[in-house]
PDB file of all heavy atoms in Angstrom:
ATOM      1  N   ARG O 182       0.084  -9.619   7.492  1.00 97.00           N
ATOM      2  CA  ARG O 182      -0.666 -10.228   8.600  1.00 97.00           C
ATOM      3  C   ARG O 182      -0.390 -11.719   8.744  1.00 97.00           C
ATOM      4  O   ARG O 182      -0.522 -12.279   9.834  1.00 97.00           O
ATOM      5  CB  ARG O 182      -2.166 -10.003   8.396  1.00 97.00           C
ATOM      6  CG  ARG O 182      -2.593  -8.542   8.494  1.00 97.00           C
ATOM      7  CD  ARG O 182      -4.115  -8.430   8.542  1.00 97.00           C
ATOM      8  NE  ARG O 182      -4.537  -7.043   8.585  1.00 97.00           N
ATOM      9  CZ  ARG O 182      -4.998  -6.368   7.548  1.00 97.00           C
ATOM     10  NH1 ARG O 182      -5.115  -6.974   6.368  1.00 97.00           N
ATOM     11  NH2 ARG O 182      -5.361  -5.106   7.671  1.00 97.00           N
ATOM     12  N   GLU O 183       0.003 -12.372   7.642  1.00 97.00           N
ATOM     13  CA  GLU O 183       0.250 -13.811   7.671  1.00 97.00           C
ATOM     14  C   GLU O 183       1.634 -14.166   8.208  1.00 97.00           C
ATOM     15  O   GLU O 183       1.884 -15.323   8.542  1.00 97.00           O
ATOM     16  CB  GLU O 183       0.100 -14.388   6.255  1.00 97.00           C
ATOM     17  CG  GLU O 183      -1.328 -14.428   5.747  1.00 97.00           C
ATOM     18  CD  GLU O 183      -2.180 -15.403   6.527  1.00 97.00           C
ATOM     19  OE1 GLU O 183      -1.880 -16.618   6.505  1.00 97.00           O
ATOM     20  OE2 GLU O 183      -3.153 -14.956   7.169  1.00 97.00           O
ATOM     21  N   VAL O 184       2.536 -13.188   8.281  1.00 98.00           N
ATOM     22  CA  VAL O 184       3.913 -13.468   8.691  1.00 98.00           C
ATOM     23  C   VAL O 184       4.178 -12.874  10.068  1.00 98.00           C
ATOM     24  O   VAL O 184       4.288 -11.639  10.201  1.00 98.00           O
ATOM     25  CB  VAL O 184       4.922 -12.898   7.673  1.00 98.00           C
ATOM     26  CG1 VAL O 184       6.348 -13.165   8.124  1.00 98.00           C
ATOM     27  CG2 VAL O 184       4.673 -13.499   6.293  1.00 98.00           C
ATOM     28  N   PRO O 185       4.301 -13.691  11.105  1.00 97.00           N
ATOM     29  CA  PRO O 185       4.580 -13.176  12.451  1.00 97.00           C
ATOM     30  C   PRO O 185       5.900 -12.396  12.481  1.00 97.00           C
ATOM     31  O   PRO O 185       6.908 -12.836  11.930  1.00 97.00           O
ATOM     32  CB  PRO O 185       4.677 -14.449  13.298  1.00 97.00           C
ATOM     33  CG  PRO O 185       3.894 -15.475  12.536  1.00 97.00           C
ATOM     34  CD  PRO O 185       4.131 -15.158  11.085  1.00 97.00           C
ATOM     35  N   GLY O 186       5.886 -11.251  13.111  1.00 96.00           N
ATOM     36  CA  GLY O 186       7.093 -10.446  13.226  1.00 96.00           C
ATOM     37  C   GLY O 186       7.356  -9.528  12.061  1.00 96.00           C
ATOM     38  O   GLY O 186       8.290  -8.720  12.099  1.00 96.00           O
ATOM     39  N   PHE O 187       6.544  -9.640  11.013  1.00 98.00           N
ATOM     40  CA  PHE O 187       6.687  -8.784   9.837  1.00 98.00           C
ATOM     41  C   PHE O 187       5.672  -7.651   9.980  1.00 98.00           C
ATOM     42  O   PHE O 187       4.492  -7.821   9.697  1.00 98.00           O
ATOM     43  CB  PHE O 187       6.433  -9.596   8.573  1.00 98.00           C
ATOM     44  CG  PHE O 187       6.718  -8.861   7.289  1.00 98.00           C
ATOM     45  CD1 PHE O 187       7.700  -7.893   7.207  1.00 98.00           C
ATOM     46  CD2 PHE O 187       6.001  -9.162   6.137  1.00 98.00           C
ATOM     47  CE1 PHE O 187       7.965  -7.227   6.012  1.00 98.00           C
ATOM     48  CE2 PHE O 187       6.257  -8.515   4.934  1.00 98.00           C
ATOM     49  CZ  PHE O 187       7.241  -7.536   4.891  1.00 98.00           C
ATOM     50  N   GLU O 188       6.125  -6.503  10.433  1.00 97.00           N
ATOM     51  CA  GLU O 188       5.237  -5.392  10.744  1.00 97.00           C
ATOM     52  C   GLU O 188       5.605  -4.176   9.906  1.00 97.00           C
ATOM     53  O   GLU O 188       6.765  -3.767   9.883  1.00 97.00           O
ATOM     54  CB  GLU O 188       5.310  -5.065  12.236  1.00 97.00           C
ATOM     55  CG  GLU O 188       4.880  -6.247  13.114  1.00 97.00           C
ATOM     56  CD  GLU O 188       5.178  -6.038  14.574  1.00 97.00           C
ATOM     57  OE1 GLU O 188       5.925  -5.075  14.891  1.00 97.00           O
ATOM     58  OE2 GLU O 188       4.689  -6.825  15.413  1.00 97.00           O
ATOM     59  N   VAL O 189       4.631  -3.599   9.225  1.00 98.00           N
ATOM     60  CA  VAL O 189       4.860  -2.467   8.326  1.00 98.00           C
ATOM     61  C   VAL O 189       3.717  -1.467   8.474  1.00 98.00           C
ATOM     62  O   VAL O 189       2.547  -1.850   8.419  1.00 98.00           O
ATOM     63  CB  VAL O 189       4.945  -2.923   6.849  1.00 98.00           C
ATOM     64  CG1 VAL O 189       5.319  -1.740   5.955  1.00 98.00           C
ATOM     65  CG2 VAL O 189       5.935  -4.065   6.688  1.00 98.00           C
ATOM     66  N   THR O 190       4.062  -0.204   8.645  1.00 97.00           N
ATOM     67  CA  THR O 190       3.052   0.842   8.677  1.00 97.00           C
ATOM     68  C   THR O 190       2.775   1.289   7.253  1.00 97.00           C
ATOM     69  O   THR O 190       3.623   1.905   6.615  1.00 97.00           O
ATOM     70  CB  THR O 190       3.531   2.043   9.520  1.00 97.00           C
ATOM     71  OG1 THR O 190       3.851   1.597  10.848  1.00 97.00           O
ATOM     72  CG2 THR O 190       2.439   3.110   9.597  1.00 97.00           C
ATOM     73  N   LEU O 191       1.603   0.952   6.742  1.00 98.00           N
ATOM     74  CA  LEU O 191       1.254   1.272   5.362  1.00 98.00           C
ATOM     75  C   LEU O 191       0.675   2.686   5.269  1.00 98.00           C
ATOM     76  O   LEU O 191      -0.014   3.141   6.179  1.00 98.00           O
ATOM     77  CB  LEU O 191       0.240   0.261   4.830  1.00 98.00           C
ATOM     78  CG  LEU O 191       0.710  -1.200   4.820  1.00 98.00           C
ATOM     79  CD1 LEU O 191      -0.393  -2.112   4.293  1.00 98.00           C
ATOM     80  CD2 LEU O 191       1.975  -1.358   3.994  1.00 98.00           C
ATOM     81  N   PRO O 192       0.947   3.387   4.175  1.00 97.00           N
ATOM     82  CA  PRO O 192       0.451   4.763   4.029  1.00 97.00           C
ATOM     83  C   PRO O 192      -1.065   4.829   3.937  1.00 97.00           C
ATOM     84  O   PRO O 192      -1.718   3.884   3.474  1.00 97.00           O
ATOM     85  CB  PRO O 192       1.116   5.242   2.736  1.00 97.00           C
ATOM     86  CG  PRO O 192       1.456   4.002   1.990  1.00 97.00           C
ATOM     87  CD  PRO O 192       1.768   2.972   3.026  1.00 97.00           C
ATOM     88  N   VAL O 193      -1.621   5.949   4.367  1.00 97.00           N
ATOM     89  CA  VAL O 193      -3.068   6.130   4.351  1.00 97.00           C
ATOM     90  C   VAL O 193      -3.603   6.103   2.924  1.00 97.00           C
ATOM     91  O   VAL O 193      -4.783   5.802   2.694  1.00 97.00           O
ATOM     92  CB  VAL O 193      -3.440   7.453   5.058  1.00 97.00           C
ATOM     93  CG1 VAL O 193      -2.980   8.652   4.252  1.00 97.00           C
ATOM     94  CG2 VAL O 193      -4.931   7.524   5.358  1.00 97.00           C
ATOM     95  N   THR O 194      -2.749   6.398   1.957  1.00 97.00           N
ATOM     96  CA  THR O 194      -3.149   6.409   0.551  1.00 97.00           C
ATOM     97  C   THR O 194      -3.068   5.033  -0.111  1.00 97.00           C
ATOM     98  O   THR O 194      -3.276   4.927  -1.321  1.00 97.00           O
ATOM     99  CB  THR O 194      -2.273   7.401  -0.229  1.00 97.00           C
ATOM    100  OG1 THR O 194      -0.906   7.202   0.128  1.00 97.00           O
ATOM    101  CG2 THR O 194      -2.654   8.837   0.083  1.00 97.00           C
ATOM    102  N   ALA O 195      -2.770   4.007   0.666  1.00 97.00           N
ATOM    103  CA  ALA O 195      -2.704   2.650   0.110  1.00 97.00           C
ATOM    104  C   ALA O 195      -4.116   2.071   0.034  1.00 97.00           C
ATOM    105  O   ALA O 195      -4.511   1.219   0.841  1.00 97.00           O
ATOM    106  CB  ALA O 195      -1.798   1.766   0.959  1.00 97.00           C
ATOM    107  N   ILE O 196      -4.884   2.527  -0.932  1.00 96.00           N
ATOM    108  CA  ILE O 196      -6.264   2.065  -1.088  1.00 96.00           C
ATOM    109  C   ILE O 196      -6.276   0.551  -1.297  1.00 96.00           C
ATOM    110  O   ILE O 196      -5.550   0.021  -2.126  1.00 96.00           O
ATOM    111  CB  ILE O 196      -6.938   2.771  -2.277  1.00 96.00           C
ATOM    112  CG1 ILE O 196      -7.080   4.264  -1.994  1.00 96.00           C
ATOM    113  CG2 ILE O 196      -8.308   2.155  -2.569  1.00 96.00           C
ATOM    114  CD1 ILE O 196      -7.656   5.048  -3.150  1.00 96.00           C
ATOM    115  N   GLY O 197      -7.113  -0.122  -0.526  1.00 97.00           N
ATOM    116  CA  GLY O 197      -7.189  -1.576  -0.592  1.00 97.00           C
ATOM    117  C   GLY O 197      -6.560  -2.254   0.598  1.00 97.00           C
ATOM    118  O   GLY O 197      -6.823  -3.434   0.853  1.00 97.00           O
ATOM    119  N   LYS O 198      -5.724  -1.536   1.358  1.00 97.00           N
ATOM    120  CA  LYS O 198      -5.070  -2.142   2.524  1.00 97.00           C
ATOM    121  C   LYS O 198      -6.079  -2.520   3.607  1.00 97.00           C
ATOM    122  O   LYS O 198      -5.805  -3.386   4.442  1.00 97.00           O
ATOM    123  CB  LYS O 198      -4.023  -1.200   3.113  1.00 97.00           C
ATOM    124  CG  LYS O 198      -4.577   0.064   3.763  1.00 97.00           C
ATOM    125  CD  LYS O 198      -3.465   0.935   4.308  1.00 97.00           C
ATOM    126  CE  LYS O 198      -4.007   2.240   4.899  1.00 97.00           C
ATOM    127  NZ  LYS O 198      -4.908   2.037   6.028  1.00 97.00           N
ATOM    128  N   ASP O 199      -7.248  -1.870   3.585  1.00 97.00           N
ATOM    129  CA  ASP O 199      -8.266  -2.123   4.601  1.00 97.00           C
ATOM    130  C   ASP O 199      -9.244  -3.223   4.205  1.00 97.00           C
ATOM    131  O   ASP O 199     -10.205  -3.473   4.926  1.00 97.00           O
ATOM    132  CB  ASP O 199      -9.029  -0.826   4.896  1.00 97.00           C
ATOM    133  CG  ASP O 199      -8.122   0.273   5.402  1.00 97.00           C
ATOM    134  OD1 ASP O 199      -7.310   0.004   6.297  1.00 97.00           O
ATOM    135  OD2 ASP O 199      -8.223   1.413   4.905  1.00 97.00           O
TER     136      ASP O 199
END
Side-chain angles (χ1 to χ4, degrees):
R182 294 191 182 102
E183 289 293 297
V184 179
F187 187 31
E188 299 170 348
V189 185
T190 303
L191 300 179
V193 69
T194 46
I196 294 176
K198 68 180 177 62
D199 300 313

